[in-house]
Amino acid sequence: MRAALELARQGCGWVSPNPMVGALIVKNGRVIGTGFHQRYGQAHAEPNALAACTESPRGAVMYVTLEPCCHRGKQPPCVDAILNAGIRRVVIGSADPNPLVNGKGAEILRQHGVEVTQGVLKEACDRLNRVFFHYMQTGRPYVVMKYAMTMDGKTAAYTGASKWITGEASRSHVQRQRHRYSAIMVGVGTVLADDPMLNCRMEGGRDPLRVVCDSGLRTPLSAKVVSTACRQPTVIATCCADPARLREYEGAGCRVLTLPAAKGRVDLRALMERLGSDGIDSVLLEGGSMLNWSALESGIVQRVEAYVAPTLLGGGAAKTPVGGAGFPAPGSAVRLENSVVRQLGEDLLIESEVRGGVYGNC
C-alpha cells in the first residue's frame, strides 16, 4: 500500500477534481503491474495497472489506495475491469466518499466472490486525498492559506519591501503548491502593490486558475492577471454590477463573477459556492493581510501553511499575515491542530489544519 501511495502522488496537480489513486498488482509474491490515475478524464489507476501487467493477473491481489469506482463517468467502472481480469483479492486504503460509490464498489466485488480487505494505511490514504474528500462532502473548494513571514511575524518591512522574506527552497515549494491546487486567490491590494503573474514557475507544472477578489473593480486593465487572461484563465470576483465596467474585463478575456457583499467586501462564502459549482476543488490563498482576515472570519479556510524565515524585521507598522479587526480575545481565536514542521533550506514550513470551523470545515 505504501508503494501504491507513492504511485498515486504522481498524479498530483493533474487529476483534480478527481482523487489521486495508485494501484499495484501482486501475484505469487511478485509485483506484476502498477498504475496510477495520470490525468483527469483519462483511465483510472486500476485499469492502468492491469494494462501494465507482465503476466495474467488472474488470481492476483490488487492493492489500491481508494475504493474502486462502480459507476460510469468519463471512464467505465473500475470494478468491471477488476472482475473481468479475475483478480482474487482487493486491498483498499480509503473508502470513497463519492455518493455514487461510497461502499458500493467494495460490495459489488464481494458479491462476485472477490475477497476485499479495507482500511489498510487508511489515515495516510485519507490524508493524500483530503482535498477530494472535502470537495465531495461539501461541494466547496478546500482552501489553503499560505504566507511567508519572519520569525517576528512580519510579512514585509515597514517600507513595504517583501522580496524576499524566505529562501529559494521555500519559493520552490510554493511553486509546487501552485501546481497542486486548482486555483490561486489574491485580493486587489496584492495586484495593485505587486502586479503578480500568479502562474506556476515549476518546470512542467500546471498554471492554476487565478481568482482576484476586487469588490470595487480597481484592478487595472493593464495588470498581468488581466492582460494574460487569454493564456491563463482569470476570474474577477466583484460586487460591482456596472455592465460597462464588467464588459471591459470580459473583453480582455476575464470571467467576472458579480457576488453579494459581506461587510462591504466580496462575500467569500458565496464565492466558494460558485467556484465549487464550477468544479474548482481547491484554492491556494496568497492574499494580503486583509483578505486573510476576511477568509478566516468567514470560515472558508481548512489549512494554513506558514513559511517562517530565521530573520527579524521589527517595525510597529510592518505588515503581519492576518490584519483586519482581529478577534477580541485569545479564547475566540481560530484554533489550529495537527501541526507539522519541516525544514526548507534555512526556513521552516509549519502546516496546520483549522480546527472545527464555522463554515463546514472537514
Side-chain angles (χ1 to χ4, degrees):
M1 190 61 75
R2 289 191 180 92
L5 278 165
E6 289 305 312
L7 288 165
R9 290 188 180 97
Q10 296 182 54
C12 181
W14 298 113
V15 300
S16 62
N18 281 356
M20 291 178 274
V21 184
L24 182 144
I25 300 171
V26 176
K27 187 174 184 180
N28 298 325
R30 293 177 291 106
V31 176
I32 63 169
T34 63
F36 66 97
H37 185 27
Q38 299 178 14
R39 293 288 190 278
Y40 175 72
Q42 296 183 8
H44 293 179
E46 298 93 328
N48 280 340
L50 290 167
C53 281
T54 55
E55 61 182 270
S56 171
R58 186 163 298 278
V61 178
M62 175 180 285
Y63 295 83
V64 62
T65 56
L66 186 71
E67 179 182 3
C69 66
C70 55
H71 65 289
R72 180 174 290 275
K74 291 182 179 295
Q75 295 292 325
C78 289
V79 292
D80 290 355
I82 293 169
L83 294 172
N84 291 336
I87 293 292
R88 172 180 61 83
R89 179 184 177 212
V90 175
V91 181
I92 298 170
S94 296
D96 191 337
N98 186 336
L100 296 174
V101 186
N102 197 19
K104 302 182 184 73
E107 184 57 32
I108 288 172
L109 293 174
R110 289 192 180 97
Q111 289 174 356
H112 286 81
V114 177
E115 181 184 349
V116 177
T117 302
Q118 293 181 265
V120 175
L121 294 186
K122 180 181 184 301
E123 183 176 340
C125 292
D126 287 356
R127 187 165 57 247
L128 175 72
N129 280 311
R130 55 180 172 253
V131 168
F132 173 72
F133 279 33
H134 175 82
Y135 184 60
M136 273 290 118
Q137 293 164 356
T138 68
R140 298 185 293 270
Y142 185 92
V143 178
V144 178
M145 176 188 292
K146 164 261 169 188
Y147 52 82
M149 67 179 185
T150 61
M151 202 167 281
D152 58 342
K154 308 299 184 182
T155 58
Y158 74 90
T159 60
S162 61
K163 293 184 178 178
W164 294 99
I165 292 288
T166 52
E168 182 59 36
S170 291
R171 298 198 296 274
S172 295
H173 186 269
V174 169
Q175 298 307 314
R176 294 196 294 274
Q177 298 299 78
R178 288 184 177 186
H179 166 78
R180 176 180 184 178
Y181 297 113
S182 297
I184 181 170
M185 186 166 78
V186 299
V188 64
T190 297
V191 174
L192 293 172
D194 301 331
D195 192 20
M197 185 67 177
L198 302 179
N199 60 342
C200 175
R201 296 186 292 276
M202 182 184 83
E203 184 177 353
R206 177 197 57 82
D207 286 333
L209 170 73
R210 300 176 294 198
V211 181
V212 178
C213 293
D214 183 1
S215 303
L217 277 187
R218 294 188 292 140
T219 300
L221 294 173
S222 60
K224 292 175 183 175
V225 291
V226 177
S227 62
T228 62
C230 291
R231 300 200 306 268
Q232 183 181 347
T234 300
V235 168
I236 306 290
T238 184
C239 303
C240 177
D242 183 345
R245 296 186 66 193
L246 300 182
R247 281 196 296 270
E248 291 182 307
Y249 294 93
E250 292 168 342
C254 298
R255 182 185 177 201
V256 181
L257 298 180
T258 302
L259 298 163
K263 298 185 178 180
R265 300 176 182 271
V266 169
D267 186 330
L268 295 181
R269 298 188 183 191
L271 175 57
M272 292 304 109
E273 296 285 351
R274 290 288 295 274
L275 293 176
S277 66
D278 288 342
I280 302 302
D281 67 348
S282 53
V283 173
L284 182 62
L285 177 59
E286 290 197 15
S289 63
M290 286 305 300
L291 183 58
N292 285 347
W293 163 251
S294 296
L296 288 173
E297 188 182 31
S298 62
I300 66 168
V301 179
Q302 278 72 52
R303 188 173 183 83
V304 176
E305 296 182 352
Y307 298 80
V308 184
T311 55
L312 303 171
L313 268 175
K319 293 181 180 179
T320 60
V322 181
F327 294 104
S332 57
V334 171
R335 304 295 298 178
L336 305 177
E337 61 186 4
N338 300 325
S339 296
V340 175
V341 182
R342 53 175 157 154
Q343 192 150 359
L344 297 173
E346 294 185 341
D347 305 325
L348 297 178
L349 171 59
I350 306 174
E351 302 171 281
S352 305
E353 297 170 358
V354 176
R355 180 185 298 174
V358 296
Y359 188 50
N361 295 324
C362 72

